[in-house]
Amino acid sequence: MAIEVRIPTILRTYTGGERAVEGSGATVTELIDKLEVDHPGIQERLLENGEARRFVNIYVNDEDIRFTGGLDTAVADGDTVVILPAVAGGSASGF
Amino acid sequence: MLTIDRATHDAIIAHARRDHPDEACGVVAGPIGSDVPARFIPMLNAAMSPTFYEFDSGDLLKLYREMDDRDEEPVVVYHSHTSTEAYPSRTDINLAGEPGAHYVLVSTRDGADQSGPVDFRSYRIVDGEVTEEEVRVVDRYEDVAATQQKAEH
């Protein structure tokens, strides 16, 4: 069994249109490294300077990784990882 | 072009008036591929700010899961500007993550929290490109479908 990774519309250009792909690894960092091997270019859309991007949400089994150890959050076979771009904006500048 | 029914159009404006001076935000979901904004879903602005909006990350996951279960997609993503015009800011453009959605902006800057006018405009935002589109308000979607069918005959 693998880890199911759900891909948002805006990143499906990297997965050949697939809504979900298989992943592997022991942490979210490893999972993203493997995603990058299979779907080159996707890592840069998820990470910035080695950190999770502020306006991309990553959930492991429905928990936002911001609250579970960030990129070090453990993952295992059978887990579901959901990636969702934040829905955010506003008249403020600087984002 | 965005075709939207009067009740949903008015509900978006009412939400913006209610939350003024903070920005209001939400989604109108519809069946995948239909381009019909059918289900009005006002969202909490977790930023609670007059210059920024953001869906709470837990609410966001719940929303997308629910749309998934119902074979829906976000047809409209809306928010208000409360002291500037109803045009996407640089922030709106940088953070726009739904290339298939109509981005609706309403402005409540002209006293809309009282009874002043509310500007209601719609855009496509794809790869940093903003394209304004016409907004057509209809009484009911059935009427549109009927008209289109007639036109085809």
Side-chain angles (χ1 to χ4, degrees):
Chain A
M1 201 154 51
I3 299 164
E4 184 191 27
V5 185
R6 312 212 40 124
I7 306 294
T9 309
I10 198 165
L11 297 183
R12 287 179 200 156
T13 47
Y14 299 98
T15 61
E18 292 295 327
R19 300 162 62 101
V21 298
E22 285 194 352
S24 62
T27 63
V28 173
T29 296
E30 290 182 19
L31 179 89
I32 292 173
D33 285 346
K34 180 62 168 48
L35 282 180
E36 176 66 17
V37 172
D38 295 339
H39 312 285
I42 201 167
Q43 180 169 285
E44 202 249 328
R45 303 295 298 271
L46 304 176
L47 307 181
E48 189 174 34
N49 304 322
E51 301 286 332
R53 284 186 178 270
R54 161 74 176 84
F55 292 107
V56 176
N57 297 322
I58 302 173
Y59 308 85
V60 175
N61 299 333
D62 293 355
E63 295 286 341
D64 187 329
I65 63 165
R66 287 188 187 93
F67 308 117
T68 59
L71 296 172
D72 295 330
T73 299
V75 290
D77 280 359
D79 285 353
T80 300
V81 173
V82 175
I83 300 167
L84 284 177
V87 179
S91 58
S93 55
F95 289 96
Chain B
M1 179 171 72
L2 169 66
T3 303
I4 189 166
D5 69 291
R6 169 78 50 199
T8 305
H9 170 273
D10 290 355
I12 290 172
I13 289 177
H15 185 197
R17 285 192 201 277
R18 199 163 61 237
D19 283 13
H20 185 94
D22 284 349
E23 294 193 2
C25 56
V27 159
V28 189
I32 291 174
S34 70
D35 203 33
V36 172
R39 192 164 67 91
F40 173 66
I41 312 167
M43 299 292 289
L44 182 77
N45 177 3
M48 288 199 256
S49 158
T51 57
F52 195 70
Y53 79 95
E54 182 170 17
F55 292 6
D56 170 78
S57 86
D59 291 350
L60 180 76
L61 180 66
K62 212 175 122 225
L63 170 71
Y64 273 76
R65 172 140 307 151
E66 196 179 272
M67 288 193 294
D68 236 22
D69 290 345
R70 301 167 63 123
D71 292 321
E72 290 174 334
E73 61 189 354
V75 177
V76 167
V77 178
Y78 74 86
H79 76 282
S80 62
H81 284 175
T82 58
S83 60
T84 56
E85 70 171 326
Y87 191 88
S89 67
R90 179 46 56 188
T91 299
D92 292 329
I93 298 165
N94 288 343
L95 299 183
E98 285 292 351
H102 302 268
Y103 278 90
V104 164
L105 273 101
V106 300
S107 175
T108 54
R109 67 174 167 176
D110 295 316
D113 54 321
Q114 317 283 317
S115 57
V118 176
D119 223 6
F120 187 109
R121 295 164 73 179
S122 183
Y123 307 86
R124 296 289 190 167
I125 307 177
V126 181
D127 293 334
E129 286 277 326
V130 176
T131 312
E132 183 157 13
E133 60 184 1
E134 193 189 324
V135 176
R136 185 170 164 217
V137 181
V138 296
D139 287 338
R140 289 179 310 154
Y141 293 116
E142 293 75 19
D143 299 342
V144 182
T147 317
Q148 277 171 349
Q149 219 165 29
K150 222 183 204 169
E152 280 165 19
H153 286 295

